[in-house]
């Protein structure tokens, strides 16, 4: 989201240049701040007496710093001759550098895009640096020059004031977004506290009443050895007090977690060991209930990067519930497995299972399923503590009812990453090492998750002719550490080609021996920054897993472009770039189906069927990968909810579009891509969000994303309901053609999925 300014031509009739400038500048519309200011200044200069031609030029570097919407490579000068109706954008030879002497009073600007003797006056940005050059051409002579200067100086002062105001406004806007996020968090905390009070008065009351009553009886019998029940009463007091203590401990755990991610100590941990510890700890209870507990783990499970104490607590909570809720004689299984970027632990039982209407709420604080209270002691905090811990690790937890009865609770935590050279040392980027390694980590994980690859390697160009590994994930135990390679001619031409390939060309085949010595299939994808090869991503699957197909190839290419943009933008805005990359991961974790390779592939085919040019298809795929980022921020229980949304939940979902744009802004520098992302929740009839655009005003790419999103969310299975079949989903989309969706897009889409049947989403 950026400040938008637009021109109001009807008001430009004022003849005073300063008044014209301000009347052309407004805070509503579609133009970015610097562009809007330049166009308003140009309109003002045209009012100057004797102006034969006018131009406004901008220092492109300063513009990019001042305006998130500014694109590198945009023409940097807008000019019009006395007769021109419309201004034209151009990039005079020699760039801003050739203009600088004229700005400093050191001579004429020879490359001015307007004819005549030119007068150049600087206008400053908020930091006092010269950002814009205002230019008027006219008759030569010092008297004319002085007259032009007199007309321009007040305009320059206005421009300077406007740029400062716009910069302040942009800061305020991002502050507003941040505060809105904090407000949301505070609201949650507030609701939580309300529930604490409710729970305290209810659940603490029973044990406390018992303690008080029994204690009073005992107090009434001082030293009475003949009082036979004293031992029994003391036993009750002790067990009730212990119960109270356990509840208090859980609440304390909870508040500690709510505020304490900084308390975590991460280290590589063998989860199988933690599971066995938890099983041992709960063995007496399990034995007393005659439960059979089995642990299944693959022989070679990668280590997880976790806080061992906290994750042990998660396992104890899940296993404790399984033991608690499974009737005597039942079975509990704990299954460990390797996933793309994580290690997964699943706790399954053949107990009563969780009613489907409860799955959405089961992880909420103090939630207990219908009837649970009669079965067993509990405060309804164990699962929310577990979820909190898992989320602190950047992981994911879910519950489901097993088809054969019973429940499964499954959580994923990050896999250990391979140690390699630091990104700042290799690339020379001025980035704090800790931030840099977070970036590498999220890049590896996101690529792994989104392309379904358990192993990923990232290599970056070191500026001295070598590709150096900066991070790896899931390389098989015992694999040789990846080594740097020299970028030979063969390498360069492979990288410049820009396409992901299952094999490196024969010309460089030898030099990469040992680069990635895993069995199974691979995809090598170049990282390009414009025309410059900046690195390589390798994604790998294990022997026995399905080989990579066209959808994964396509997705890896899109991700490589996103990663190259992230690296290009990293310096100076590490935190924002990191956040933007993180939502990629979240989007996949929260099960948003449009972030899968299949969805992207279908999007590409629809774009082709609609006649998109190759470059526009690339833009659409870039947008498709990032467009639901904001959704990752909307609580997953709302997104995945079965019930109709309440008004406040609806508001939250609608707001995601703007949140999403703001979040991914550092990764999106193409205005078309931005438009696709911003408008994918518009409705064809003009009742959508965020701008209420209608019909052809909605960018075509956004209309395509709307249909694709609907298709995948209708057909995807949820934990509590099956997705619609193809025919029913198409019928539902067709029913909304013309109101919600563009009927033309819907028909092309329908023809595509009806004829090939190749659109079953991955669930
Ligand atoms: P508590 O067990 O203290 O009530 P939890 O947060 O651990 O709190 O669990 C919340 C609710 O989820 C429980 O009250 C119970 O209804 C349900 N639940 C949790 N685990 C299971 C399970 N393995 N089988 C059936 N229901 C479960």
């Amino acid at each position: 989201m950026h400040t938008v300014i637009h021109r109001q031509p009807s008001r430009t009739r004022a003849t005073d240049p300063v008044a014209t400038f301000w009347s052309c500048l407004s805070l509503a519309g579609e133009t970015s701040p610097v562009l809007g200011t330049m166009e308003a200044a140009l309109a003002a200069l045209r009012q100057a007496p004797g102006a034969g031609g006018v131009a406004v030029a901008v220092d492109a570097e300063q513009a990019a710093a001042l305006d998130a919407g500014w694109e590198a490579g945009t023409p940097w000068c807008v000019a019009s001759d006395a007769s021109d109706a419309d201004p034209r954008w151009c990039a005079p030879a020699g760039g801003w550098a050739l203009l600088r002497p004229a700005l400093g009073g050191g001579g004429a600007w020879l490359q001015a895009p307007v004819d005549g003797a030119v007068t150049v006056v600087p206008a400053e940005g908020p930091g006092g640096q010269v950002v814009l050059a205002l230019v008027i051409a006219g008759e030569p002579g010092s008297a004319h020059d002085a007259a032009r200067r007199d007309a321009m100086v007040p305009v320059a002062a206005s421009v300077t004031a406007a740029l400062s105001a716009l910069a302040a406004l942009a800061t305020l806007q991002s502050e507003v977004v941040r505060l809105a996020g904090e407000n949301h968090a505070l609201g949650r905390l507030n609701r939580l506290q309300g529930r604490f009070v409710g729970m305290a008065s209810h659940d603490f009351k029973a044990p406390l009443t018992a303690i008080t009553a029994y204690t009073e009886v005992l107090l009434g019998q001082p030293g009475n050895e003949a009082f036979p029940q004293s031992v029994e009463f003391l036993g009750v007091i002790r067990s009730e007090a212990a119960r109270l203590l356990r509840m208090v401990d859980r609440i304390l755990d909870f508040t500690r977690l709510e505020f304490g991610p900084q308390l975590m100590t991460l280290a590589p941990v063998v989860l199988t060991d933690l599971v066995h510890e938890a099983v041992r700890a709960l063995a007496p209870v399990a034995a007393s209930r005659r439960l059979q507990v089995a642990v299944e783990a693959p022989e070679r499970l990668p280590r997880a990067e976790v806080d061992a104490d906290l994750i042990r607590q998660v396992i104890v909570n899940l296993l404790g519930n399984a033991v608690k809720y499974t009737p005597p004689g039942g079975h509990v299984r704990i299954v460990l497995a390797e996933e793309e970027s994580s290690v997964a632990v699943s706790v399954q039982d053949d107990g009563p299972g969780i009613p489907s209407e409860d799955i959405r709420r089961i992880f909420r604080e103090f939630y207990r399923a219908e009837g649970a209270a009669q079965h067993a002691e509990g405060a309804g905090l164990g699962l929310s503590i577990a979820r909190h811990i898992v989320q602190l690790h950047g992981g994911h937890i879910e519950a489901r009812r097993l088809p054969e009865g019973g429940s499964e609770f499954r959580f994923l935590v990050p896999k250990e990453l391979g140690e390699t050279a630091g990104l700042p040392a290799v690339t020379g980027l001025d980035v704090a090492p800790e931030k840099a390694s977070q970036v590498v980590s999220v890049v590896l994980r996101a690529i792994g998750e989104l392309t379904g690859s358990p192993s990923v390697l990232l290599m970056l160009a070191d500026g001295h002719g070598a590709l150096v590994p900066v991070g790896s994930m899931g390389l098989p135990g015992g694999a040789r550490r990846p080594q740097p390679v020299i970028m030979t001619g063969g390498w360069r031409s492979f990288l410049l080609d820009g396409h992901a390939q299952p094999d490196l060309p024969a010309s460089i085949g030898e030099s990469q021996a040992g680069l990635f010595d895993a069995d199974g299939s691979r995809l090598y994808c170049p990282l390009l920054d414009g025309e410059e090869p900046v690195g390589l991503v390798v994604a790998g699957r294990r022997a026995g897993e399905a080989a990579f197909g066209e959808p994964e190839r396509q997705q890896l290419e899109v991700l490589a472009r996103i990663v190259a943009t992230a690296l290009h933008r990293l310096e100076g805005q590490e935190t924002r770039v990191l956040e933007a990359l993180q939502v990629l991961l979240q989007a996949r974790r929260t099960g948003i189906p449009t972030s899968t390779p299949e969805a992207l592939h279908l999007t590409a085919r629809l774009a082709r069927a609609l006649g998109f040019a190759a470059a526009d298809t690339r833009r659409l795929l870039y947008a498709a990968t990032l467009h639901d980022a904001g959704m990752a921020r909307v609580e997953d229980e709302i997104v995945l909810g079965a019930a109709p949304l309440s008004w406040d939940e609806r508001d939250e979902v609608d707001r995601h579009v703007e949140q999403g744009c703001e979040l991914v802004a550092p990764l999106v520098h193409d205005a078309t891509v931005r438009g696709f992302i911003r408008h994918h929740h518009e409705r064809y009839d003009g009742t959508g969000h965020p701008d209420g655009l209608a019909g052809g005003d909605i960018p075509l790419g956004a209309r395509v994303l709307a249909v694709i999103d609907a298709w995948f969310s209708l057909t995807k299975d949820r934990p509590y309901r099956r997705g619609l079949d193809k025919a029913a989903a198409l019928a539902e989309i067709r029913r909304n053609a013309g109101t919600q969706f563009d009927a033309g897009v819907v028909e092309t889409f329908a023809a595509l999925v009806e004829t090939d049947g190749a659109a079953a989403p991955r669930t």
Side-chain angles (χ1 to χ4, degrees), residues 250 317-318 320-326 347-349 351-355 358 362-364 366-373 376-385 406-409:
R250 288 214 143 176
N317 287 5
L318 298 184
N321 278 349
V323 167
K324 189 161 73 174
Y325 293 108
T326 307
V347 180
Q348 303 162 15
D349 63 51
I354 305 146
D358 285 324
I362 199 112
F363 292 103
R364 289 186 182 171
F366 312 120
Y367 190 80
R368 308 199 70 201
E370 196 71 15
E377 171 195 314
L381 277 177
L383 289 180
S384 58
I385 290 172
S407 4
E408 176 183 19
F409 287 85

Side-chain angles (χ1 to χ4, degrees), residues 3-8 11 22-29 166:
T3 312
V4 281
I5 298 170
H6 87 155
R7 294 194 304 143
Q8 292 173 314
R11 282 207 260 146
W22 288 110
S23 72
C24 290
L25 195 66
S26 95
L27 296 179
L166 290 171

Side-chain angles (χ1 to χ4, degrees), residues 120-334:
V120 184
V121 166
E124 291 168 358
Q129 71 289 48
V130 174
V131 175
L132 295 184
L134 310 183
V135 184
I136 296 187
E139 288 177 43
S142 55
H144 290 297
D145 184 57
R148 288 197 287 267
R149 224 166 260 286
D150 285 348
M152 291 162 85
V153 167
V155 177
S158 294
V159 168
T160 298
L163 285 174
S164 296
L166 290 171
L169 199 63
T171 316
L172 280 178
Q173 274 174 340
S174 66
E175 189 67 357
V176 165
V177 170
R178 193 184 61 77
L179 287 176
E182 271 183 22
N183 193 24
H184 179 63
L186 284 175
R188 266 197 70 217
L189 207 60
N190 209 5
R191 289 198 292 278
L192 186 66
Q193 278 170 351
R195 275 183 268 168
F196 262 123
V197 175
M199 187 207 116
S201 56
H202 178 262
D203 279 359
F204 287 176
K205 219 169 137 182
L208 277 174
T209 315
I211 290 171
T212 317
Y214 284 105
T215 313
E216 269 169 16
V217 176
L218 274 185
L219 285 174
Q221 307 289 332
N224 184 354
E225 287 180 8
F227 182 58
Q229 290 99 331
S230 66
V231 173
E232 183 195 336
F233 280 21
L234 280 170
V236 173
I237 291 175
R238 194 173 50 199
S239 75
E240 289 295 300
R243 184 150 93 96
L244 199 52
L245 211 61
R246 282 197 299 277
M247 285 178 164
V248 171
D249 275 348
R250 288 214 143 176
I251 292 173
L252 291 181
D253 277 346
F254 194 78
T255 37
R256 179 171 74 97
L257 286 168
E258 188 82 9
F259 297 108
Q262 63 276 28
L263 298 178
M264 289 207 301
T265 346
L266 299 180
V269 173
V270 180
L271 288 192
T272 319
D273 294 348
L274 292 189
V275 167
H276 283 296
E277 281 172 33
V279 169
R280 268 197 302 278
L282 287 164
V285 197
S288 73
R289 299 176 58 81
R290 289 178 289 108
L291 297 175
Q292 292 186 25
V293 181
V295 179
E296 295 167 26
E299 209 171 297
R300 279 212 318 228
L301 187 71
R303 294 187 296 184
E305 200 141 306
V306 296
D307 183 312
D309 287 335
L310 291 179
I311 293 300
R312 191 183 297 108
Q313 164 113 45
V314 173
I315 299 170
V316 166
N317 287 5
L318 298 184
L319 189 58
N321 278 349
V323 167
K324 189 161 73 174
Y325 293 108
T326 307
H331 299 81
V332 177
R333 279 172 78 207
I334 306 165

